[in-house]
Amino acid sequence: MKIAPFTFESLPSRVVFGAGALARVPDELDRLGWKRALVLVTPQRRGQGEELAAALGSRAAGLFAEARPHVPVDMVMRARAAAAAAGADCTVSIGGGSTVGLGKALSLDPGLPQLAIATTYAGSEMTPLWGITEGGVKQTGRDVRVQPRAVVYDPLLTLGLPGRVTAASAMNAIAHCVEALYSIDANPMTSLSAEEGIRALAAGARAAVAAPDDIDARTLALYGAYLSGSALGAVGMALHHKLCHVLGGAFDLPHAETHAIVLPHVVRFNQSGAPEAIARAARALGAGDAAAALFDLLAELGLPRRLDEIGLRAEDLPRAADLVTQRSYPNPRAVTREDALELLGDALVGRLR
Ligand code: NAD
């Protein structure tokens, strides 16, 4: 094995993982010295937010149950007002990437640190990446201030995660791992996390979709999510994340499903540019051909394999290809407009080359 020179900066975050870890949250807040938490949750999960606030007792300053996808700025403004009114000194988010994303916006301004309780596999809780959407445009950035200071992973909280969210958010997490393996910043530590993350996510998601109450399957998938988020937070992403950002932002496609459908096509495209990294992904999937294995996994998990099933139209492809190739970014292979058109055309109709 040959080790190339590398730079690796590990991010400051404490992880508490395991069945029942939710009960540790009050102690974690005390350890951090935080006294007045604003609890963040989506409207669908309000009940869970209320239970958490009750368990935190006097440490809970209030509940904000309006977290929505893509972190819209009007929601952020209302949450900032709620934090000020409650005199909050921190946030405790319970949910997936949408809820954690709101906590990150509050870490940027007014600077409230976040404890994140992750209940999906998206991985946002392990990253310093933030996004806020204003006027239909999602502004994104990397800022160590938004990295949650503590993360609690409790597989018991994921038992009720619907099959479709389980499958799609696990594929989203696998996509972080795959792009981490061939990232321009890849280093031995992130590659270890990424390869193991794919192994855990694929096996965990498969078993959890088949038996949603299987605690071992849920634990494995959540462990994979942790590894995936760590890799995503540490190294830059490439073509796949660019494509999905464009499809979500300009065409309003659902985030995790888009990642799931596009991934096998990007892996096929990048295969010649990153053969070793993609061989590691294949090994983690227990297959010879990573792209084909991911394509099969979509069907096995009951996910769609065509972008036209989730709202993209053939007439959208030229604009999408323009947006994807407007600016250059690191990728194992150069991407021309024709390449992007071909790849998206395949993903539109579920044809893997
Ligand atoms: P999500 O947070 O939008 O959650 C999806 C749905 O599942 C919501 O309705 C939520 O209430 C529900 N839910 C969550 N946990 C549940 C549970 N345990 N049981 C039942 N229902 C539950 O979806 P997501 O896939 O976690 O996150 C997607 C968002 O995260 C996207 O906006 C994406 O851009 C962002 N993201 C950010 C990063 C980052 O590093 N900044 C990384 C990955 C994803």
Side-chain angles (χ1 to χ4, degrees):
M1 189 164 74
K2 197 163 162 244
I3 305 294
F6 66 89
T7 305
F8 175 47
E9 187 178 338
S10 63
L11 294 159
S13 137
R14 172 177 161 99
V15 172
V16 179
F17 187 102
L22 181 64
R24 302 258 305 268
V25 173
D27 285 350
E28 287 299 313
L29 290 179
D30 293 346
R31 198 187 61 82
L32 289 158
W34 301 348
K35 297 190 180 340
R36 296 186 60 77
L38 181 67
V39 174
L40 309 176
V41 70
T42 58
Q44 299 89 328
R45 310 291 294 163
R46 171 181 268 278
Q48 193 175 37
E50 287 169 350
E51 277 173 29
L52 174 62
L56 294 182
S58 63
R59 300 175 192 84
L63 174 70
F64 185 80
E66 295 179 40
R68 294 208 313 271
H70 304 305
V71 197
V73 72
D74 60 303
M75 168 197 73
V76 175
M77 302 307 276
R78 280 198 305 283
R80 284 180 182 148
D89 65 359
C90 66
T91 61
V92 175
S93 60
I94 183 160
S98 299
T99 314
V100 175
L102 171 58
K104 288 177 170 181
L106 296 175
S107 293
L108 278 181
D109 177 12
L112 301 179
Q114 174 174 203
L115 181 152
I117 306 166
T119 67
T120 71
Y121 307 127
S124 174
E125 64 285 347
M126 290 306 298
T127 83
L129 309 171
W130 60 269
I132 296 179
T133 305
E134 184 164 17
V137 179
K138 191 165 183 179
Q139 201 195 337
T140 58
R142 171 182 281 268
D143 189 322
V144 78
R145 285 176 303 160
V146 310
Q147 174 94 21
R149 295 271 295 281
V151 179
V152 172
Y153 288 104
D154 185 341
L156 295 177
L157 296 174
T158 63
L159 294 179
L161 193 62
R164 178 83 174 232
V165 185
T166 297
S169 79
M171 289 298 298
N172 184 190
I174 289 177
H176 306 329
C177 295
V178 168
E179 293 231 294
L181 283 171
Y182 57 60
S183 168
I184 191 166
D185 313 309
N187 66 65
M189 292 301 289
T190 51
S191 295
L192 277 175
S193 289
E195 184 180 335
E196 186 65 1
I198 295 172
R199 195 169 283 122
L201 283 157
R206 235 183 226 124
V209 165
D213 289 337
D214 179 343
I215 187 67
D216 291 337
R218 291 295 189 179
T219 304
L220 190 59
L222 203 57
Y223 171 61
Y226 156 59
L227 295 174
S228 154
S230 313
L232 170 68
V235 299
M237 296 285 110
L239 171 64
H240 175 79
H241 282 71
K242 177 71 184 177
L243 278 165
C244 295
H245 185 80
V246 162
L247 294 173
F251 305 99
D252 206 23
L253 299 197
H255 175 87
E257 278 93 348
T258 305
H259 270 268
I261 296 170
V262 169
L263 185 62
H265 304 279
V266 174
V267 169
R268 177 64 81 234
F269 178 78
N270 276 336
Q271 181 117 32
S272 60
E276 284 173 23
I278 290 177
R280 285 186 81 163
R283 186 166 70 193
L285 291 161
D289 179 345
L294 290 166
F295 195 61
D296 291 346
L297 187 57
L298 292 179
E300 225 180 300
L301 295 179
L303 286 168
R305 296 209 283 196
R306 305 171 57 119
L307 288 174
D308 61 6
E309 282 182 56
I310 60 165
L312 195 70
R313 299 164 312 166
E315 52 268 40
D316 296 329
L317 295 185
R319 188 164 150 246
D322 285 342
L323 290 170
V324 167
T325 49
Q326 235 165 26
R327 265 183 282 156
S328 69
Y329 42 86
N331 189 60
R333 259 184 83 184
V335 188
T336 65
R337 185 174 182 280
E338 286 62 41
D339 293 332
L341 260 184
E342 188 174 278
L343 193 163
L344 286 167
D346 288 344
L348 185 79
V349 298
R351 175 182 55 226
L352 184 70
R353 281 173 199 265

